[in-house]
């Protein structure tokens, strides 16, 4: 899949994003409901002079979960400790982090659903009673020593909230579900990023980039970088619609935001299998890609756009999918899609 339309960020991409991150809820674009809810939680905690409730941010990658965690710490005037679920594979790893937290510190755990089960169980007690039980010794002589920890605010981020065990999910005082962005909001994101980068870009070019950003600010910023590079190499000081369209065409991002792999999957479903249901393993072999990549990265966007459907018999192109490739759907297509 094209790096341009992946919602996950590389190290270079994350460094670029950090320069563009808003520092406050007022600067943060989009997610108005979540912003208002967070502001209420933070203001109430400040009035009562206590640490804010634990917060879970759920939603697809690239929508601003890490940025919101940073804003929570910044708005409260507290330090931020960042870690991720995959790095916490033992209860001892988590105990070391928790025991070193300063009073009021914000602990951000990205991909929290990927923590080890033993660490999750330790986190239950830490979130509720601000203490952890550390096991000392082995075998029959092992003893549990309670260790008090400073009050803290946990901000967890997950792309798969359904994988969190109920006891952990229930201990969050607030669960925010981030939604994909509208094109108008993405245009505001692009306009703000352009100003931060000192770029002059007209409104039509912003609209074209926004339309192809798959509802994701991270992708919008990434496409803006490529358009900037295209204009720079072409000797242009102002980015117009021609520069934007030229860069997007060069990187094979079409008017719906589909990239090369997306279109390959659509062509397999539409042309090779004539709209008939196709199993995931067959589809993966046909396009030469891993099943996990198709299921977790490519398929959600195509389903959300209404281009393919997941049926009981496999993945199947919809009438909109046929139309996007300029093809006429078969007459029995509707029957197949209803057989769920």
């Amino acid at each position: 899949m094209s790096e341009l339309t992946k919602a996950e960020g590389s190290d270079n991409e994350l460094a670029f994003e950090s320069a563009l991150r808003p520092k406050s809820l007022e600067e943060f674009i989009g997610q108005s409901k979540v912003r208002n809810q967070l502001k209420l939680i933070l203001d109430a905690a400040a009035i009562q002079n206590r640490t804010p409730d634990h917060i879970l941010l759920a939603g697809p990658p690239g929508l601003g979960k890490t940025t919101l965690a940073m804003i929570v710490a910044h708005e409260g005037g507290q330090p931020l400790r960042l870690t991720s679920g995959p790095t916490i594979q033992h209860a001892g790893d988590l105990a070391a982090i928790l025991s070193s937290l300063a009073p009021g510190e914000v602990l951000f755990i990205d991909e929290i659903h990927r923590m080890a089960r033993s660490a999750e169980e330790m986190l239950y007690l830490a979130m509720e009673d601000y203490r952890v039980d550390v096991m000392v010794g082995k075998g029959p002589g092992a003893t549990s020593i309670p260790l008090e920890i400073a009050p803290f605010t946990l901000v967890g981020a997950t792309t798969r909230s359904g994988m969190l065990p109920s006891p952990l999910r229930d201990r969050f005082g607030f669960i925010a579900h981030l939604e994909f962005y509208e094109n108008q909001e993405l245009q505001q994101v692009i306009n703000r990023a352009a100003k931060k980068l000192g770029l002059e870009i007209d409104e039509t070019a912003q609209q074209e980039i926004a339309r192809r950003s798959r509802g994701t600010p991270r992708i919008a910023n990434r496409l803006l970088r490529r358009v900037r590079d295209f204009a720079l190499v072409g000797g242009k000081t102002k980015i117009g619609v021609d520069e934007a369209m030229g860069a997007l065409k060069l990187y094979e991002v079409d008017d719906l935001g589909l990239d090369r792999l997306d279109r390959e999957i659509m062509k397999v479903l539409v042309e090779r299998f004539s709209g008939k249901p196709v199993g995931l393993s067959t589809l993966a072999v046909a396009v030469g890609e891993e099943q996990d990549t198709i299921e977790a990265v490519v398929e959600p966007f195509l389903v959300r756009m209404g281009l393919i459907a997941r049926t009981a018999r496999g993945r199947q192109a919809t009438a909109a999918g046929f139309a996007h490739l300029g093809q006429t759907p078969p007459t029995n297509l509707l029957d197949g899609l209803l057989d769920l």
Side-chain angles (χ1 to χ4, degrees), residues 18 31 48 75 77 99 124 151 158 173 195 199 207 230 233 275 278 318 335:
S18 65
Q31 312 294 343
Q48 298 173 46
E75 296 263 336
S99 61
Y124 301 159
T158 177
K195 289 179 179 178
L199 302 177
Q207 292 172 351
F230 185 88
V233 173
V278 182
T318 64
D335 295 335

PDB file of all heavy atoms in Angstrom, residues 18 31 48 75 77 99 124 151 158 173 195 199 207 230 233 275 278 318 335:
ATOM      1  N   SER A  18       4.800  16.588  14.756  1.00  0.00           N
ATOM      2  CA  SER A  18       5.013  17.226  16.053  1.00  0.00           C
ATOM      3  C   SER A  18       5.188  18.735  15.905  1.00  0.00           C
ATOM      4  O   SER A  18       4.806  19.496  16.801  1.00  0.00           O
ATOM      5  CB  SER A  18       6.236  16.616  16.751  1.00  0.00           C
ATOM      6  OG  SER A  18       7.420  16.898  16.022  1.00  0.00           O
ATOM      7  N   GLN A  31     -13.476  17.242  15.693  1.00  0.00           N
ATOM      8  CA  GLN A  31     -13.837  16.504  16.912  1.00  0.00           C
ATOM      9  C   GLN A  31     -14.447  17.439  17.950  1.00  0.00           C
ATOM     10  O   GLN A  31     -14.085  17.417  19.134  1.00  0.00           O
ATOM     11  CB  GLN A  31     -12.600  15.787  17.499  1.00  0.00           C
ATOM     12  CG  GLN A  31     -11.772  15.006  16.520  1.00  0.00           C
ATOM     13  CD  GLN A  31     -12.507  13.800  15.945  1.00  0.00           C
ATOM     14  OE1 GLN A  31     -13.508  13.366  16.481  1.00  0.00           O
ATOM     15  NE2 GLN A  31     -11.993  13.259  14.855  1.00  0.00           N
ATOM     16  N   GLN A  48     -11.628  21.748  41.252  1.00  0.00           N
ATOM     17  CA  GLN A  48     -11.591  20.910  42.453  1.00  0.00           C
ATOM     18  C   GLN A  48     -10.166  20.584  42.900  1.00  0.00           C
ATOM     19  O   GLN A  48      -9.978  19.863  43.886  1.00  0.00           O
ATOM     20  CB  GLN A  48     -12.363  19.613  42.196  1.00  0.00           C
ATOM     21  CG  GLN A  48     -13.834  19.844  41.883  1.00  0.00           C
ATOM     22  CD  GLN A  48     -14.536  18.558  41.472  1.00  0.00           C
ATOM     23  OE1 GLN A  48     -14.384  17.512  42.100  1.00  0.00           O
ATOM     24  NE2 GLN A  48     -15.316  18.622  40.409  1.00  0.00           N
ATOM     25  N   GLU A  75      -2.806  21.459  29.038  1.00  0.00           N
ATOM     26  CA  GLU A  75      -3.878  22.272  29.624  1.00  0.00           C
ATOM     27  C   GLU A  75      -3.856  22.198  31.149  1.00  0.00           C
ATOM     28  O   GLU A  75      -4.217  23.157  31.828  1.00  0.00           O
ATOM     29  CB  GLU A  75      -5.235  21.790  29.111  1.00  0.00           C
ATOM     30  CG  GLU A  75      -5.426  21.960  27.612  1.00  0.00           C
ATOM     31  CD  GLU A  75      -6.184  23.228  27.252  1.00  0.00           C
ATOM     32  OE1 GLU A  75      -6.939  23.730  28.090  1.00  0.00           O
ATOM     33  OE2 GLU A  75      -5.997  23.714  26.128  1.00  0.00           O
ATOM     34  N   GLY A  77      -1.114  21.770  32.877  1.00  0.00           N
ATOM     35  CA  GLY A  77       0.191  22.199  33.353  1.00  0.00           C
ATOM     36  C   GLY A  77       0.999  21.080  33.981  1.00  0.00           C
ATOM     37  O   GLY A  77       1.790  21.306  34.906  1.00  0.00           O
ATOM     38  N   SER A  99       5.708   3.650  39.381  1.00  0.00           N
ATOM     39  CA  SER A  99       6.377   4.046  40.627  1.00  0.00           C
ATOM     40  C   SER A  99       7.216   5.308  40.454  1.00  0.00           C
ATOM     41  O   SER A  99       7.560   5.957  41.441  1.00  0.00           O
ATOM     42  CB  SER A  99       7.255   2.905  41.146  1.00  0.00           C
ATOM     43  OG  SER A  99       8.270   2.591  40.201  1.00  0.00           O
ATOM     44  N   TYR A 124      -5.397  -2.200  36.744  1.00  0.00           N
ATOM     45  CA  TYR A 124      -6.715  -2.056  37.382  1.00  0.00           C
ATOM     46  C   TYR A 124      -6.579  -1.375  38.740  1.00  0.00           C
ATOM     47  O   TYR A 124      -7.268  -0.393  39.046  1.00  0.00           O
ATOM     48  CB  TYR A 124      -7.387  -3.416  37.586  1.00  0.00           C
ATOM     49  CG  TYR A 124      -7.635  -4.233  36.351  1.00  0.00           C
ATOM     50  CD1 TYR A 124      -7.833  -5.605  36.429  1.00  0.00           C
ATOM     51  CD2 TYR A 124      -7.677  -3.637  35.082  1.00  0.00           C
ATOM     52  CE1 TYR A 124      -8.074  -6.370  35.307  1.00  0.00           C
ATOM     53  CE2 TYR A 124      -7.918  -4.392  33.951  1.00  0.00           C
ATOM     54  CZ  TYR A 124      -8.112  -5.767  34.068  1.00  0.00           C
ATOM     55  OH  TYR A 124      -8.341  -6.522  32.954  1.00  0.00           O
ATOM     56  N   PRO A 151      -0.996  10.094  42.672  1.00  0.00           N
ATOM     57  CA  PRO A 151      -2.176  10.243  41.806  1.00  0.00           C
ATOM     58  C   PRO A 151      -1.764  10.694  40.406  1.00  0.00           C
ATOM     59  O   PRO A 151      -0.935  11.603  40.252  1.00  0.00           O
ATOM     60  CB  PRO A 151      -2.993  11.323  42.522  1.00  0.00           C
ATOM     61  CG  PRO A 151      -2.553  11.256  43.947  1.00  0.00           C
ATOM     62  CD  PRO A 151      -1.101  10.889  43.901  1.00  0.00           C
ATOM     63  N   THR A 158      -6.445   3.696  21.629  1.00  0.00           N
ATOM     64  CA  THR A 158      -6.599   2.395  20.992  1.00  0.00           C
ATOM     65  C   THR A 158      -7.306   2.536  19.657  1.00  0.00           C
ATOM     66  O   THR A 158      -8.194   3.372  19.490  1.00  0.00           O
ATOM     67  CB  THR A 158      -7.395   1.429  21.900  1.00  0.00           C
ATOM     68  OG1 THR A 158      -7.590   0.189  21.222  1.00  0.00           O
ATOM     69  CG2 THR A 158      -8.761   2.002  22.265  1.00  0.00           C
ATOM     70  N   GLY A 173     -12.806   7.048  33.292  1.00  0.00           N
ATOM     71  CA  GLY A 173     -13.903   7.945  33.610  1.00  0.00           C
ATOM     72  C   GLY A 173     -14.553   8.539  32.383  1.00  0.00           C
ATOM     73  O   GLY A 173     -15.709   8.962  32.421  1.00  0.00           O
ATOM     74  N   LYS A 195       0.195  27.416   6.718  1.00  0.00           N
ATOM     75  CA  LYS A 195       0.658  28.638   7.369  1.00  0.00           C
ATOM     76  C   LYS A 195       1.855  28.369   8.268  1.00  0.00           C
ATOM     77  O   LYS A 195       2.806  29.150   8.315  1.00  0.00           O
ATOM     78  CB  LYS A 195      -0.480  29.256   8.178  1.00  0.00           C
ATOM     79  CG  LYS A 195      -1.592  29.862   7.319  1.00  0.00           C
ATOM     80  CD  LYS A 195      -2.712  30.433   8.177  1.00  0.00           C
ATOM     81  CE  LYS A 195      -3.802  31.048   7.307  1.00  0.00           C
ATOM     82  NZ  LYS A 195      -4.935  31.560   8.122  1.00  0.00           N
ATOM     83  N   LEU A 199       3.770  28.187   3.568  1.00  0.00           N
ATOM     84  CA  LEU A 199       3.392  27.904   2.183  1.00  0.00           C
ATOM     85  C   LEU A 199       2.217  28.769   1.768  1.00  0.00           C
ATOM     86  O   LEU A 199       1.306  29.032   2.554  1.00  0.00           O
ATOM     87  CB  LEU A 199       2.996  26.430   2.023  1.00  0.00           C
ATOM     88  CG  LEU A 199       4.029  25.381   2.403  1.00  0.00           C
ATOM     89  CD1 LEU A 199       3.433  23.989   2.248  1.00  0.00           C
ATOM     90  CD2 LEU A 199       5.286  25.521   1.556  1.00  0.00           C
ATOM     91  N   GLN A 207      -8.826  22.188  -1.323  1.00  0.00           N
ATOM     92  CA  GLN A 207     -10.004  21.333  -1.473  1.00  0.00           C
ATOM     93  C   GLN A 207      -9.649  20.009  -2.140  1.00  0.00           C
ATOM     94  O   GLN A 207     -10.148  18.947  -1.734  1.00  0.00           O
ATOM     95  CB  GLN A 207     -11.073  22.066  -2.283  1.00  0.00           C
ATOM     96  CG  GLN A 207     -11.683  23.256  -1.577  1.00  0.00           C
ATOM     97  CD  GLN A 207     -12.591  24.082  -2.480  1.00  0.00           C
ATOM     98  OE1 GLN A 207     -12.641  23.873  -3.691  1.00  0.00           O
ATOM     99  NE2 GLN A 207     -13.315  25.029  -1.898  1.00  0.00           N
ATOM    100  N   PHE A 230       6.490  18.867  -4.890  1.00  0.00           N
ATOM    101  CA  PHE A 230       6.232  18.939  -6.332  1.00  0.00           C
ATOM    102  C   PHE A 230       6.343  20.378  -6.814  1.00  0.00           C
ATOM    103  O   PHE A 230       6.967  20.661  -7.861  1.00  0.00           O
ATOM    104  CB  PHE A 230       4.839  18.383  -6.631  1.00  0.00           C
ATOM    105  CG  PHE A 230       4.502  18.299  -8.092  1.00  0.00           C
ATOM    106  CD1 PHE A 230       4.829  17.160  -8.825  1.00  0.00           C
ATOM    107  CD2 PHE A 230       3.853  19.340  -8.738  1.00  0.00           C
ATOM    108  CE1 PHE A 230       4.514  17.074 -10.178  1.00  0.00           C
ATOM    109  CE2 PHE A 230       3.537  19.270 -10.086  1.00  0.00           C
ATOM    110  CZ  PHE A 230       3.871  18.130 -10.803  1.00  0.00           C
ATOM    111  N   VAL A 233      10.163  21.595  -6.593  1.00  0.00           N
ATOM    112  CA  VAL A 233      11.000  21.087  -7.696  1.00  0.00           C
ATOM    113  C   VAL A 233      10.626  21.758  -9.017  1.00  0.00           C
ATOM    114  O   VAL A 233      11.473  21.990  -9.869  1.00  0.00           O
ATOM    115  CB  VAL A 233      10.855  19.545  -7.799  1.00  0.00           C
ATOM    116  CG1 VAL A 233      11.564  19.028  -9.043  1.00  0.00           C
ATOM    117  CG2 VAL A 233      11.416  18.877  -6.556  1.00  0.00           C
ATOM    118  N   GLY A 275     -17.615  -9.206  -9.980  1.00  0.00           N
ATOM    119  CA  GLY A 275     -18.544  -8.850  -8.909  1.00  0.00           C
ATOM    120  C   GLY A 275     -18.949  -9.988  -8.003  1.00  0.00           C
ATOM    121  O   GLY A 275     -19.750  -9.793  -7.095  1.00  0.00           O
ATOM    122  N   VAL A 278     -15.448 -12.866  -3.077  1.00  0.00           N
ATOM    123  CA  VAL A 278     -14.080 -13.392  -3.089  1.00  0.00           C
ATOM    124  C   VAL A 278     -13.594 -13.505  -1.647  1.00  0.00           C
ATOM    125  O   VAL A 278     -13.711 -12.558  -0.869  1.00  0.00           O
ATOM    126  CB  VAL A 278     -13.134 -12.464  -3.889  1.00  0.00           C
ATOM    127  CG1 VAL A 278     -11.721 -13.058  -3.926  1.00  0.00           C
ATOM    128  CG2 VAL A 278     -13.654 -12.247  -5.299  1.00  0.00           C
ATOM    129  N   THR A 318     -19.439  -3.309  -4.829  1.00  0.00           N
ATOM    130  CA  THR A 318     -20.791  -2.764  -4.889  1.00  0.00           C
ATOM    131  C   THR A 318     -20.995  -2.057  -6.236  1.00  0.00           C
ATOM    132  O   THR A 318     -20.060  -1.930  -7.036  1.00  0.00           O
ATOM    133  CB  THR A 318     -21.021  -1.757  -3.761  1.00  0.00           C
ATOM    134  OG1 THR A 318     -20.128  -0.635  -3.965  1.00  0.00           O
ATOM    135  CG2 THR A 318     -20.745  -2.381  -2.398  1.00  0.00           C
ATOM    136  N   ASP A 335     -28.608  -9.089  -5.321  1.00  0.00           N
ATOM    137  CA  ASP A 335     -28.957 -10.310  -4.602  1.00  0.00           C
ATOM    138  C   ASP A 335     -27.772 -10.825  -3.799  1.00  0.00           C
ATOM    139  O   ASP A 335     -27.895 -11.270  -2.661  1.00  0.00           O
ATOM    140  CB  ASP A 335     -29.443 -11.395  -5.572  1.00  0.00           C
ATOM    141  CG  ASP A 335     -30.746 -10.995  -6.250  1.00  0.00           C
ATOM    142  OD1 ASP A 335     -31.481 -10.181  -5.650  1.00  0.00           O
ATOM    143  OD2 ASP A 335     -31.009 -11.480  -7.346  1.00  0.00           O
TER     144      ASP A 335
END
